[in-house]
Amino acid sequence: MENDESTKKDLILVVDDQPNNLKVIASILGDYYTLSFAGNGHSALKLLEKGMPDLILLDVMMPELDGYDVCRKIKEIPHLREIPVIFLSAKTDVEDIVKGFNAGAVDYILKPFNPLEVKVRVNNHLKLHQAVKEKKRITDELLQNKQLLESVLQTQREMICRINTKRIITYVNRAFASFFGKPENQLIGIDWYDLFPEHRKYAISSLLDTFNEHSDAPIIYQQKAFTQTGIKNWQEWKGYLIRNENGQISEYQFIGYDITDLVEKQQLEKEIEIARNTLKFKQNFLASMSHEIRTPLTGIIGIVELMEQTRLSHTQKDFLNTLKTSSDNLREIIDQVLDYSRIESGNVQLLMEPYSIAKLAAHTQKFFHAICQKPLEFHSWVDEKLPQLLCFDHNRIVQILNNLIINAVKFTMEGHVSVYFSLENVPELASEEAMVKIMVTDTGIGIREERQKSIFSPFSQVHNIETEKYSGLGIGLSICKEIVELHGGEIGVISSEGKGATIWFSFRALKPKPEHLGRDEGKGKKEIPSRLKILFVEDKLTTQKVIKILLNSMGHEVSLANNGKEAIEANNPTNFDLILMDIQMPVMDGITATRIIREKYPDGPCIVGLSANVFDGDREKYISLGMDEYMRKPATREKFEALFWKLFGGDV
């Protein structure tokens, strides 16, 4: 069925079991086309295995395998299905003609043949078939060129490589050649495997196998690579199959992207997430440990306060002072660790409220005399230019002052401790802002110059704890620095060894609004409430005992309940002025009990949460859940007095 290219005519396969019919067709078409003959359907299919004709003339009525079946089988073979088939038949029924077209024929010629009709129809279908083939060839070529052009234009900064089915490189772009450090013409024509080290060749071979298994689906893989200069980067490669016009794989195209920045970003995000989870775990762990420590600490501090009110010998007072100092130190350590954890995790928010600078100065004097047991003098000075009231987080500023005064007292054996409050002149401040500067000066041992640069770093000691008698966690000043910076200020030190030290800090405050100026800050106290009926709901027996004795010593009547359920069932809450409600309890927790009491007794007493929970926002959360106020353990007489004044004023 093959012809010499120079004299090639269209090849027609004629299939008919009647020799006379074959002769008739030969006489009509033999001068114009190359003819091949088959006497039955099986012979025709065998001939088609050897070559492809341009057209098939197929008789319908044949033994064993009729024309319809032969046509269907031809159309089932992918590379033959486009060959036009014309049926030759004496069957003139419409059903037969329709059956022929349904089998895949393009035309149906009735016997006996009209020679002119046969010539015209065959010629038209051959021309049409050639036109279809040419259109498909051009379309495929244009599509391939378009895909290549789009690939190059869209990824011109990416690496592009094409290889044929024998792994020979047929195309590379400049980026690909640059990565491998060779000119493009030196890469084209070499074996693709030669670009990879021996230990990678098996993986590359498996990659091509995967390619073929997934048909036309692109494959994507990532790899770590080194440039010619030794710089490590990450690449992502996408592979695509390229097929020829017969649908067979002719080439593989790979496009490589530098994803180093993306991978490093993902790795960084993963590390950040791990660090965030670690930080969250650490904060939760510290909060949990603080909760467990604060509960027994309530018992210790409470007993100390009660014993101070009894008659003690000199030795007993000395023992009691030691116990009080140790418990206060323990509480301070817990607070510092938790504060540092909160600041480290970024969970500290400032509460800007109006506060008197004079009151702040008075606190420093009171605090100094409360902690100092040395023959030291105390001085304070307030700049008269400072407004009477300013808005700032006074609890945090008091925390800084307390820490600085404790350090000053700790490292000063004789002389004085002084605190100075002044107004800084900062031109860039907004009109509603003020910059306050506070200096804490002592006449102590001073700070060595080499240590001054690091004293505000976490876990940095002002003095060497291995060789000197001073102790501490070394995080107090770092916490001060963080709080100062949250306030938009600065902190620093002026000192020389043996000549005392001045630690100063500044913070931004807001000038009060007119409605704040009429407040009567710090004027006379009201009388302490004389007697309250209190229901104390707490599951720890030691805490029950200590708090009850402490409140009784203050003149109040106390009833006890072991959990929220007992508080609801055993007592009518309306019989009490106040309910002190622990948060975490067995059987029924304090939040649930509070909700039930509020629903059952809308006009019930004040409910105050009393817990060792230390998370920021606890107070706001518990108040939003129905409580009137929240107090954090360890509970002290001073805390209770402040609470009662806040809730009841002087009316009780």
Side-chain angles (χ1 to χ4, degrees):
M1 296 178 64
E2 297 179 358
N3 299 282
D4 184 79
E5 289 292 326
S6 62
T7 59
K8 182 179 178 182
K9 297 179 181 180
D10 288 328
L11 176 62
I12 299 175
L13 172 62
V14 185
V15 186
D16 199 312
D17 64 322
Q18 299 296 322
N20 289 335
N21 291 337
L22 296 177
K23 291 179 181 179
V24 172
I25 293 297
S27 66
I28 297 172
L29 302 176
D31 294 337
Y32 309 100
Y33 307 103
T34 301
L35 301 179
S36 178
F37 301 96
N40 56 60
H42 293 294
S43 298
L45 292 174
K46 287 183 179 180
L47 286 174
L48 289 172
E49 291 176 359
K50 299 178 181 180
M52 293 177 55
D54 297 295
L55 184 140
I56 300 173
L57 293 175
L58 181 61
D59 186 31
V60 173
M61 300 297 293
M62 292 186 297
E64 296 184 14
L65 201 63
D66 65 20
Y68 298 133
D69 290 333
V70 174
C71 187
R72 292 189 190 97
K73 290 184 179 296
I74 291 173
K75 297 304 177 181
E76 289 173 358
I77 301 173
H79 69 280
L80 299 178
R81 64 178 51 146
E82 299 301 326
I83 300 174
V85 177
I86 299 176
F87 275 117
L88 305 174
S89 178
K91 290 188 172 186
T92 60
D93 291 341
V94 174
E95 291 81 0
D96 294 319
I97 297 174
V98 171
K99 186 176 180 180
F101 284 114
N102 287 338
V106 297
D107 208 343
Y108 197 98
I109 301 177
L110 297 174
K111 298 178 182 179
F113 306 125
N114 181 312
L116 182 59
E117 179 186 3
V118 172
K119 289 180 183 179
V120 171
R121 291 197 180 191
V122 167
N123 184 58
N124 287 343
H125 283 295
L126 282 171
K127 287 182 177 180
L128 180 61
H129 178 56
Q130 292 300 330
V132 170
K133 285 174 61 177
E134 182 65 9
K135 180 181 178 181
K136 185 177 185 305
R137 185 190 67 77
I138 294 173
T139 300
D140 291 344
E141 185 175 315
L142 288 174
L143 181 60
Q144 288 185 8
N145 291 337
K146 180 181 178 182
Q147 289 175 340
L148 177 60
L149 179 60
E150 288 179 350
S151 174
V152 172
L153 290 176
Q154 293 175 6
T155 61
Q156 52 189 317
R157 289 186 296 179
E158 276 47 70
M159 296 172 286
I160 301 175
C161 175
R162 276 191 176 191
I163 63 173
N164 62 22
T165 54
K166 295 181 180 180
R167 305 194 314 252
I168 301 302
I169 296 177
T170 60
Y171 172 83
V172 297
N173 72 341
R174 185 175 301 173
F176 186 95
S178 176
F179 178 78
F180 285 94
K182 295 181 179 181
E184 297 170 45
N185 57 5
Q186 289 185 17
L187 290 170
I188 294 174
I190 69 172
D191 192 320
W192 189 50
Y193 279 16
D194 292 342
L195 296 177
F196 302 94
E198 287 296 328
H199 69 276
R200 289 280 297 154
K201 289 183 178 179
Y202 175 77
I204 296 302
S205 177
S206 300
L207 181 67
L208 291 182
D209 292 339
T210 303
F211 224 157
N212 296 326
E213 290 173 3
H214 286 77
S215 185
D216 291 330
I219 61 170
I220 300 174
Y221 72 97
Q222 295 180 355
Q223 68 175 14
K224 182 169 59 177
F226 290 87
T227 65
Q228 291 296 307
T229 57
I231 299 175
K232 180 179 73 173
N233 67 1
W234 282 92
Q235 299 171 346
E236 179 177 271
W237 288 88
K238 294 183 179 180
Y240 303 87
L241 290 178
I242 298 176
R243 297 182 181 272
N244 60 21
E245 60 183 9
N246 296 323
Q248 299 172 331
I249 298 174
S250 60
E251 287 185 308
Y252 305 92
Q253 178 168 285
F254 295 93
I255 303 176
Y257 305 83
D258 187 334
I259 58 169
T260 305
D261 291 343
L262 176 63
V263 171
E264 290 179 350
K265 179 182 178 182
Q266 291 173 342
Q267 291 175 342
L268 179 60
E269 289 175 348
K270 186 176 180 180
E271 291 172 2
I272 291 173
E273 183 64 23
I274 292 173
R276 186 182 291 114
N277 291 336
T278 302
L279 190 62
K280 184 177 180 181
F281 171 79
K282 181 174 71 174
Q283 187 178 9
N284 289 339
F285 173 77
L286 290 174
S288 178
M289 291 302 298
S290 173
H291 182 278
E292 296 304 314
I293 294 173
R294 282 174 182 273
T295 298
L297 196 58
T298 295
I300 296 172
I301 293 175
I303 291 296
V304 168
E305 287 190 342
L306 292 171
M307 290 182 67
E308 284 180 325
Q309 300 174 34
T310 64
R311 184 174 298 177
L312 301 172
S313 67
H314 179 76
T315 302
Q316 289 172 327
K317 287 182 179 180
D318 184 53
F319 290 163
L320 189 62
N321 285 334
T322 301
L323 179 60
K324 182 177 182 180
T325 301
S326 298
S327 60
D328 286 342
N329 287 341
L330 177 59
R331 180 172 57 183
E332 180 185 347
I333 290 171
I334 295 171
D335 289 341
Q336 284 189 347
V337 170
L338 284 170
D339 250 345
Y340 180 74
S341 176
R342 291 192 193 99
I343 291 171
E344 186 182 32
S345 62
N347 289 332
V348 174
Q349 294 183 345
L350 300 179
L351 182 61
M352 307 294 281
E353 293 182 328
Y355 199 76
S356 166
I357 297 296
K359 189 174 181 180
L360 192 63
H363 164 81
T364 60
Q365 183 172 4
K366 180 180 178 182
F367 182 75
F368 170 83
H369 290 298
I371 67 166
C372 184
Q373 299 179 359
K374 302 175 183 178
L376 299 177
E377 295 181 2
F378 180 82
H379 307 288
S380 68
W381 175 82
V382 178
D383 186 348
E384 61 183 17
K385 296 179 182 178
L386 278 167
Q388 181 182 359
L389 282 179
L390 286 171
C391 293
F392 55 94
D393 192 331
H394 68 271
N395 287 325
R396 290 295 182 180
I397 299 301
V398 165
Q399 181 181 353
I400 297 173
L401 282 169
N402 289 354
N403 192 288
L404 299 185
I405 291 172
I406 288 172
N407 281 344
V409 171
K410 183 190 298 185
F411 300 121
T412 304
M413 299 300 109
E414 58 183 13
H416 65 83
V417 173
S418 302
V419 183
Y420 302 93
F421 300 82
S422 61
L423 181 65
E424 288 281 276
N425 183 19
V426 182
E428 62 268 21
L429 282 181
S431 59
E432 68 275 10
E433 292 181 322
M435 183 69 76
V436 180
K437 183 175 182 179
I438 302 177
M439 296 188 297
V440 178
T441 301
D442 63 63
T443 55
I445 62 176
I447 304 172
R448 299 171 187 170
E449 184 176 355
E450 64 270 18
R451 291 188 179 272
Q452 291 180 20
K453 296 179 181 179
S454 62
I455 63 172
F456 299 110
S457 301
F459 304 103
S460 172
Q461 298 287 343
V462 175
H463 297 279
N464 191 335
I465 62 174
E466 294 180 356
T467 59
E468 300 178 17
K469 60 184 178 180
Y470 309 105
S471 62
L473 283 178
I475 61 175
L477 289 178
S478 69
I479 292 173
C480 292
K481 179 176 182 293
E482 296 290 347
I483 295 173
V484 165
E485 290 179 350
L486 283 172
H487 264 99
E490 297 178 310
I491 190 169
V493 58
I494 303 170
S495 181
S496 57
E497 189 173 4
K499 297 183 179 180
T502 295
I503 295 184
W504 61 269
F505 69 95
S506 60
F507 64 92
R508 290 177 184 248
L510 298 176
K511 295 178 181 179
K513 296 179 180 179
E515 58 264 28
H516 295 146
L517 297 177
R519 292 191 175 183
D520 189 12
E521 291 286 340
K523 293 190 178 180
K525 292 184 178 180
K526 302 175 184 178
E527 295 182 2
I528 298 175
S530 57
R531 187 176 186 82
L532 292 170
K533 293 180 68 176
I534 300 171
L535 173 61
F536 182 36
V537 189
E538 165 69 53
D539 62 304
K540 299 291 190 300
L541 296 179
T542 300
T543 306
Q544 284 184 2
K545 180 179 180 180
V546 172
I547 296 297
K548 181 175 182 180
I549 295 174
L550 179 60
L551 291 173
N552 287 157
S553 71
M554 295 172 66
H556 305 298
E557 179 183 337
V558 180
S559 298
L560 299 174
N562 295 306
N563 54 63
K565 186 177 181 181
E566 286 188 13
I568 295 170
E569 294 177 350
N571 301 281
N572 182 350
T574 58
N575 294 331
F576 299 96
D577 301 306
L578 172 67
I579 299 177
L580 293 176
M581 183 77 74
D582 188 25
I583 302 298
Q584 298 176 348
M585 294 180 290
V587 184
M588 182 183 289
D589 62 82
I591 299 300
T592 303
T594 298
R595 177 176 55 79
I596 294 174
I597 290 173
R598 291 298 189 212
E599 292 174 354
K600 192 173 181 180
Y601 305 100
D603 298 325
C606 291
I607 301 177
V608 174
L610 180 62
S611 174
N613 291 346
V614 292
F615 286 109
D616 281 345
D618 280 344
R619 177 177 178 273
E620 292 75 12
K621 178 177 71 175
Y622 297 137
I623 289 177
S624 70
L625 293 173
M627 293 181 172
D628 295 284
E629 192 49 80
Y630 172 73
M631 190 169 81
R632 183 177 295 171
K633 294 178 182 177
T636 63
R637 177 185 293 269
E638 184 179 3
K639 285 184 178 181
F640 277 126
E641 287 177 350
L643 174 68
F644 297 156
W645 280 117
K646 186 172 185 178
L647 292 176
F648 304 105
D651 300 329
V652 178

